[in-house]
Amino acid sequence: MADHERGLGELPVWNLTDLYSSPDAPEVKADLAIAAEAATDFKKRYKGQIAPLAASGGGGAELGRAIGIYEEIEDRLGRLISYAGLLYAQDNTNPANAKFYGDIQERVTTISTDLLFFALELNKLDDDTFAAALKDPALAHYGPWLRDLRAMRPYQLSDELETLLHEKSVTGHAAWNRLFDETMARLTFEAGGKKLTLEAALHRLSEKDRTKREEAAHSLAETFKANLPLFTLITNTLAKDKEIEDRLRGFEDIAQSRHIANRVEPEVVAALVDAVRRSYPDLSHRYYAMKAKWLGLDRLEYWDRNAPLPQSDDAVITWDQARDTVLDAYRGFTPEMAEIANRFFEKGWIDAPARAGKSSGAFAHPTVPSVHPYVLVNYQGKTRDVMTLAHELGHGVHQVLAAKQGPLMADTPLTLAETASVFGEMLTFRKLLAGATDKERRKAMLASKVEDMLNTVVRQTAFYTFERHVHTARRQGELTSDDICRFWMEVQGESLGPAIHLGPGYETYWCYISHFIHAPFYVYAYAFGDCLVNSLYAVYEKAQEGFAERYFEMLSAGGTLRHRELLAPFGLDATDPAFWDKGLSMIRGFIDELEAME
């Protein structure tokens, strides 16, 4: 059925021509050739010369120029891989898209091999030589990038091993990632007499009709079970691949590489996870017990977890209504935020229709600073879809603002990247809630928001715990499907509580979580971002004067500042154990309000 026939209106498909006009465009070949030649020249000019340059007079200035050249090459390579990746996300069952993506991955990996020495040699500089060179403004400009680069210095391997790991990534973890993506895109789920995509089947779990939810849940479980051996093999292989590299590098903890990439201290993450797990009884357990009563059930089945309340508005929200809702909410915060977000609608930077072969879920891809971000959603006209749009546009605004930092420093750690997206969601929710004067409508909206927050904080923390179980156990030997399913049921039971019956079939639901495959331990970033935004929003409510300016400065910093520096202007400190309880108190407050309505 066409989108307009479902009442969604005309949904946009993104226009990728700002990157390249087509896969066989002459610019694609030209950029590959230019990047290859530039990388070869760069290697000839600088390989083996970094230490002598740094120690020489004026070495800082010359190193600054070298990083500038390196950055230009990285931007060109980033444009190529972004284009191939977005085409692939648009339809990864298309053989031409898959081939193009694979070919570009290989070419970019090969070209960037010539650049690998640069970071390795920079990290070999002793601290005194590095500090002296950094006094030159040309090199100091790249100080934040160098700081983050040198965080990996204790774990750097020999040049030969680093090169081997880099070159084999295409046939290693990247290949297994691609196998997962293409397998998931080809799966079909029979429900309601139709063959559904993963996205459509998951969408049915939010239907009002309980029979439809149950039917979809069983269909998902049946298909996941049929493919369990493959997903178990992928999980085992990637976990072992990670263990090998972690062991070679000398990482002490299975999530240490993620913490370094996120530029966050392990103890901060531990404090977050501990605070959330301690709050399970007062948050998810309490809420789902209430929801069971609302639905007239002794306890919920797992397919009832995201069911809308009987009084919730199930009217289809058109694309135009969704756009106006988000832009109005953003405009209420600051006109500049709405203006940036509106570019995504006006300039063809969004791909919205749900269709076969398209990547499930949603994302905002920054591409490279010399172009602009793109947003992918699978829009189906529900309130949650509007919230997803607000979330991804929050990322998009962040990426636009941070682009001025350049290819090496625009990228934000995952923990802080989720701040802008969750803040965009919160602005949109608050705007909608303020307009809900009817008590029943307000209750339905609060319940929906609480569920989104539980999915973001409680569910993602449980995911992180699950990953720790899997990766820890994998170090003792290969895991069976039953092993992984058992870990899944343990963490889900702990996090969701006794009010939800996790019946047969649910043990396989770990299979479709792509973050486990693409970015191990990514998931805690969602809980980090949600709790951080709750604290940030509390500051905004108390003192709105000047807040938007400080907020935009934080987003514009990109990856140049750490979380402590970014949050200081707001009087917040994530290293304070009490910080996370403040963030969780907003969820607790919403549940308190719902409890008072009974």
Side-chain angles (χ1 to χ4, degrees):
M1 186 184 293
D3 296 320
H4 64 85
E5 291 173 338
R6 291 189 290 151
L8 300 178
E10 293 297 326
L11 299 184
V13 175
W14 55 30
N15 176 6
L16 300 178
T17 56
D18 286 346
L19 290 164
Y20 297 98
S21 59
S22 69
D24 57 1
E27 291 82 4
V28 172
K29 291 182 180 179
D31 275 355
L32 283 168
I34 292 169
E37 183 178 359
T40 300
D41 290 346
F42 187 82
K43 183 177 181 179
K44 288 178 181 175
R45 181 174 177 182
Y46 289 109
K47 184 170 173 55
Q49 298 303 309
I50 302 306
L53 275 177
S56 67
E62 182 57 32
L63 285 180
R65 281 192 289 273
I67 296 176
I69 298 168
Y70 175 84
E71 187 172 39
E72 287 179 13
I73 301 171
E74 286 289 334
D75 187 86
R76 196 177 301 275
L77 293 175
R79 178 188 288 251
L80 287 159
I81 199 63
S82 295
Y83 178 63
L86 292 174
L87 271 180
Y88 183 67
Q90 208 168 9
D91 182 3
N92 55 35
T93 60
N94 182 321
N97 285 356
K99 175 178 167 47
F100 181 68
Y101 179 57
D103 288 346
I104 292 295
Q105 261 193 328
E106 288 185 23
R107 289 294 306 279
V108 168
T109 300
T110 299
I111 293 168
S112 58
T113 300
D114 278 344
L115 304 173
L116 196 59
F117 78 91
F118 190 51
L120 301 179
E121 290 192 27
L122 284 170
N123 270 353
K124 290 176 183 176
L125 296 176
D126 65 75
D127 289 338
D128 290 342
T129 301
F130 176 73
L134 201 60
K135 292 177 182 178
D136 190 287
L139 189 60
H141 169 74
Y142 294 103
W145 177 71
L146 291 163
R147 172 202 63 198
D148 296 333
L149 181 70
R150 286 173 73 82
M152 279 293 291
R153 191 180 177 209
Y155 313 104
Q156 186 166 295
L157 303 173
S158 68
D159 292 6
E160 293 77 17
L161 266 179
E162 292 286 0
T163 302
L164 178 65
L165 289 173
H166 180 72
E167 291 189 344
K168 282 188 67 65
S169 65
V170 174
T171 55
H173 60 82
W176 289 96
N177 284 186
R178 183 174 162 186
L179 174 63
F180 173 86
D181 289 343
E182 293 184 12
T183 301
M184 198 57 73
R186 287 187 171 89
L187 293 184
T188 56
F189 305 85
E190 299 237 1
K194 298 178 180 178
K195 286 188 175 182
L196 305 176
T197 63
L198 172 64
E199 197 66 37
L202 291 171
H203 180 71
R204 285 203 170 207
L205 297 180
S206 299
E207 290 276 2
K208 270 192 174 180
D209 187 331
R210 195 174 191 223
T211 303
K212 288 183 177 179
R213 295 199 303 271
E214 182 177 0
E215 188 179 37
H218 290 320
S219 178
L220 285 160
E222 184 180 335
T223 302
F224 292 153
K225 186 175 182 179
N227 291 274
L228 205 53
L230 175 59
F231 292 126
T232 298
L233 175 61
I234 292 172
T235 299
N236 268 296
T237 303
L238 286 172
K240 182 61 179 178
D241 182 77
K242 185 178 186 304
E243 184 273 328
I244 291 169
E245 184 167 341
D246 284 358
R247 177 163 35 86
L248 288 172
R249 293 192 183 282
F251 289 133
E252 297 174 2
D253 184 78
I254 51 177
Q256 191 171 359
S257 59
R258 177 63 59 199
H259 300 333
I260 292 172
N262 282 344
R263 300 156 212 168
V264 63
E265 301 82 1
E267 56 270 22
V268 171
V269 178
L272 162 66
V273 172
D274 181 60
V276 175
R277 292 181 72 177
R278 279 189 286 103
S279 296
Y280 285 168
D282 199 31
L283 297 180
S284 48
H285 297 189
R286 181 163 63 117
Y287 173 77
Y288 291 125
M290 282 197 302
K291 184 169 184 176
K293 292 180 185 177
W294 297 337
L295 296 180
L297 302 169
D298 291 332
R299 61 176 177 169
L300 303 171
E301 294 295 337
Y302 68 84
W303 52 82
D304 298 319
R305 186 172 58 84
N306 286 326
L309 300 190
Q311 66 268 44
S312 64
D313 184 1
D314 58 358
V316 171
I317 302 167
T318 68
W319 178 253
D320 287 349
Q321 289 171 329
R323 177 197 62 207
D324 293 346
T325 297
V326 175
L327 291 181
D328 285 349
Y330 280 18
R331 194 174 294 109
F333 178 66
T334 172
E336 186 181 356
M337 191 170 183
E339 186 278 321
I340 296 172
N342 192 45
R343 295 179 204 169
F344 287 79
F345 296 97
E346 296 295 323
K347 298 188 177 184
W349 300 353
I350 304 178
D351 193 295
R355 58 180 179 269
K358 181 178 175 179
S359 290
S360 61
F363 63 73
H365 191 310
T367 73
V368 288
S370 58
V371 189
H372 54 75
Y374 282 93
V375 161
L376 179 144
V377 294
N378 281 273
Y379 189 78
Q380 301 190 62
K382 300 292 187 182
T383 300
R384 276 197 172 94
D385 296 316
V386 179
M387 291 299 147
T388 298
L389 180 63
H391 181 102
E392 299 307 335
L393 285 172
H395 279 308
V397 169
H398 192 180
Q399 290 160 359
V400 168
L401 290 170
K404 69 179 183 182
Q405 300 295 345
L408 298 181
M409 296 184 292
D411 192 33
T412 307
L414 298 175
T415 42
L416 297 169
E418 291 304 327
T419 302
S421 53
V422 177
F423 194 81
E425 257 189 280
M426 182 63 77
L427 289 172
T428 304
F429 169 72
R430 292 289 189 173
K431 176 75 174 178
L432 292 172
L433 189 66
T437 53
D438 177 75
K439 181 181 176 182
E440 289 301 306
R441 176 165 168 73
R442 182 178 179 86
K443 180 179 179 179
M445 289 183 64
L446 276 173
S448 179
K449 183 58 179 173
V450 166
E451 289 181 21
D452 286 345
M453 296 173 95
L454 293 179
N455 283 338
T456 302
V457 176
V458 169
R459 186 166 162 81
Q460 301 298 333
T461 299
F463 284 178
Y464 176 69
T465 305
F466 167 74
E467 284 190 279
R468 292 197 68 91
H469 286 334
V470 169
H471 284 265
T472 300
R474 180 64 182 90
R475 294 188 171 192
Q476 307 307 313
E478 187 156 316
L479 304 175
T480 65
S481 297
D482 287 345
D483 291 333
I484 303 174
C485 290
R486 186 179 69 255
F487 293 145
W488 176 256
M489 294 296 279
E490 286 174 3
V491 299
Q492 292 299 302
E494 178 198 24
S495 63
L496 298 176
I500 296 184
H501 176 231
L502 302 177
Y506 189 68
E507 71 278 0
T508 64
Y509 271 55
W510 57 270
C511 292
Y512 79 92
I513 310 298
S514 62
H515 287 109
F516 297 158
I517 305 301
H518 291 290
F521 305 108
Y522 177 110
V523 289
Y524 74 73
Y526 288 110
F528 193 110
D530 197 281
C531 289
L532 192 157
V533 164
N534 292 343
S535 298
L536 201 60
Y537 200 88
V539 174
Y540 171 56
E541 285 187 309
K542 289 178 183 176
Q544 296 187 9
E545 185 68 31
F547 183 93
E549 290 77 9
R550 282 178 287 156
Y551 179 73
F552 266 55
E553 285 175 11
M554 179 177 76
L555 300 190
S556 299
T560 61
L561 300 176
R562 295 286 180 91
H563 63 83
R564 190 191 294 268
E565 300 162 306
L566 289 169
L567 294 177
F570 303 96
L572 300 172
D573 181 5
T575 62
D576 180 358
F579 173 83
W580 302 113
D581 289 319
K582 289 178 186 176
L584 294 168
S585 67
M586 181 175 288
I587 310 175
R588 193 175 294 113
F590 285 158
I591 297 175
D592 289 345
E593 186 176 344
L594 285 167
E595 206 167 43
M597 289 180 177
E598 289 195 68

